[in-house]
Amino acid sequence: MSDSLLPYAVGAAKRARQAAVRMRRRVERLQTAPAFASGIRPRPALHAVHLSVLGGRTLNVALTAPAAVDVTSAHLELTRGGRHLRLDLEVEPQSDGSRLLTATTALRYTDRTDLADHPEEHGPGRAGVALFSGLWRIGVVLTGADGKELRAGVGAVALPTTDGPTAPVSPSPDSGAHFRIMRSVDGFAVLKVRAPVHQAELDRFDLRWDRIVVHGRLIARQGPVSGYTAQAVRRGGGTVVPTPLEWDGDAFTFEVPLAEMVAGGRSYRWDMQLQHGRTGLKIGRRLTDVRRRHQVIRTTFRIIALEDGTLLRAHAYITSAGALAVSCVAFEGAPHGAEEVA
């Protein structure tokens, strides 16, 4: 490298380091819970070999037991608002003489009202641990050979920041709630629970030779299912085409109204949604850890024959925002009974 280019290279390297530091600090702020900063007496912290919520609903814990304590039993403790939940930790000896404290359990969401009405149904058990919204402190209770108990926290862990194909944090595919490991401002690990959002989750759509059938379910339903209707909304034009909706609990099924969506020999993009009062819920795939769903969930164009003999070219796909959209156009010269309907 010539002497004239060296200052530019040094400056570029310096700016890259500064950008990396800013990004690291921003990620740390996003992962830090603004709580537990004061009013709590200092306590020791156990090192977490692994601490995560996998699949949006499974808590996995592996902690290093302190060498100074002859641990005979241990419990993981989740605390919030006067509620304390304990999970048994397995004490696993390692080949190097150390010991790991491990546990795996499912996480479930419940609201405070349901918890107050049925507290016996939401304790630790085979179905997992039921938690309500908020920040839960993660602690460990160690019992030594002398019977004395030692309480400790769990040191914060860093989440991966790479932009991979899957996100390190994802919602629960069952309930839609978010269970996320974060760090407190004093350096301890906490579990943040966020309630599910009112939404329409896409389970699948069937591409057949004569129709497209959508299968989904309501998340955080508001009111009876009779208050919901299914419809196709044309992007840009505002045209709304309703379609019959079938229910099985919170699960719904409907056929895309293709005959009413084909008009004028042009291809339009239609968003599939449920209407509840004045709220339109776009149907989409959101309860997943896949980052670029429109690139992963790929679908082909399909030739569909309607009952009146109309042939059309339809494409049902997932948008970059994760919503379900359908574009369709009738073939020129083919019978076009749909134009009369439109």
Side-chain angles (χ1 to χ4, degrees):
M1 181 180 297
S2 63
D3 294 341
S4 60
L5 295 178
L6 183 58
Y8 296 98
V10 173
K14 182 179 179 180
R15 289 190 295 272
R17 288 195 300 269
Q18 292 174 345
V21 171
R22 288 195 299 268
M23 180 60 67
R24 184 172 64 252
R25 290 177 178 173
R26 181 183 178 186
V27 171
E28 288 179 354
R29 287 196 299 269
L30 292 175
Q31 297 176 2
T32 300
F36 308 139
S38 62
I40 298 177
R41 60 186 180 184
R43 53 179 177 154
L46 300 186
H47 171 68
V49 178
H50 183 85
L51 180 61
S52 67
V53 178
L54 298 180
R57 58 186 172 184
T58 305
L59 177 64
N60 292 270
V61 182
L63 310 174
T64 302
V69 180
D70 184 13
V71 180
T72 58
S73 64
H75 301 86
L76 188 74
E77 192 173 56
L78 301 175
T79 306
R80 172 169 171 76
R83 181 163 175 81
H84 301 266
L85 298 175
R86 278 194 174 189
L87 302 174
D88 292 336
L89 290 170
E90 295 288 337
V91 182
E92 300 181 6
Q94 304 297 300
S95 58
D96 59 357
S98 62
R99 288 164 297 174
L100 284 182
L101 309 176
T102 62
T104 299
T105 186
L107 299 176
R108 296 184 293 117
Y109 174 80
T110 184
D111 56 35
R112 286 178 177 266
T113 303
D114 188 43
L115 181 64
D117 295 340
H118 307 281
E120 71 284 350
E121 299 179 3
H122 300 291
R126 292 184 179 181
V129 179
L131 306 172
F132 50 82
S133 298
L135 294 173
W136 291 76
R137 296 186 63 199
I138 303 176
V140 179
V141 181
L142 307 174
T143 303
D146 54 2
K148 294 183 179 180
E149 289 189 348
L150 172 65
R151 293 182 176 270
V154 177
V157 295
L159 292 177
T161 59
T162 56
D163 186 17
T166 58
V169 179
S170 61
S172 169
D174 295 331
S175 65
H178 285 252
F179 302 96
R180 180 179 180 182
I181 299 294
M182 301 186 70
R183 58 173 293 152
S184 64
V185 292
D186 51 355
F188 289 93
V190 295
L191 177 63
K192 182 178 181 179
V193 181
R194 193 178 72 186
V197 179
H198 186 210
Q199 58 187 304
E201 176 69 9
L202 173 68
D203 289 333
R204 73 179 194 277
F205 54 88
D206 300 331
L207 298 175
R208 303 178 182 177
W209 64 271
D210 62 341
R211 70 193 68 184
I212 300 176
V213 182
V214 177
H215 303 268
R217 55 196 167 97
L218 268 177
I219 304 298
R221 173 167 55 89
Q222 298 181 1
V225 296
S226 58
Y228 292 83
T229 57
Q231 57 189 23
V233 180
R234 194 174 80 184
R235 179 66 62 89
T239 303
V240 177
V241 179
T243 183
L245 186 61
E246 297 181 2
W247 291 97
D248 182 9
D250 285 339
F252 59 83
T253 304
F254 66 87
E255 293 185 13
V256 177
L258 295 172
E260 290 80 7
M261 293 163 53
V262 181
R266 294 181 56 186
S267 177
Y268 294 101
R269 169 177 164 176
W270 299 76
D271 293 319
M272 302 296 108
Q273 70 177 37
L274 297 185
Q275 189 71 24
H276 180 253
R278 296 184 177 180
T279 302
L281 302 176
K282 287 187 177 181
I283 301 171
R285 181 67 61 85
R286 300 178 181 87
L287 306 186
T288 177
D289 61 350
V290 179
R291 290 184 187 271
R292 301 173 182 85
R293 286 153 289 186
H294 65 293
Q295 296 179 358
V296 175
I297 307 174
R298 305 297 294 270
T299 57
T300 60
F301 288 83
R302 179 65 61 93
I303 305 301
I304 293 179
L306 302 181
E307 290 184 359
D308 61 2
T310 301
L311 293 179
L312 55 89
R313 183 172 183 258
H315 185 208
Y317 60 97
I318 303 297
T319 68
S320 58
L324 172 63
V326 177
S327 61
C328 55
V329 62
F331 284 98
E332 295 183 2
H336 206 307
E339 288 186 348
E340 301 177 357
V341 178

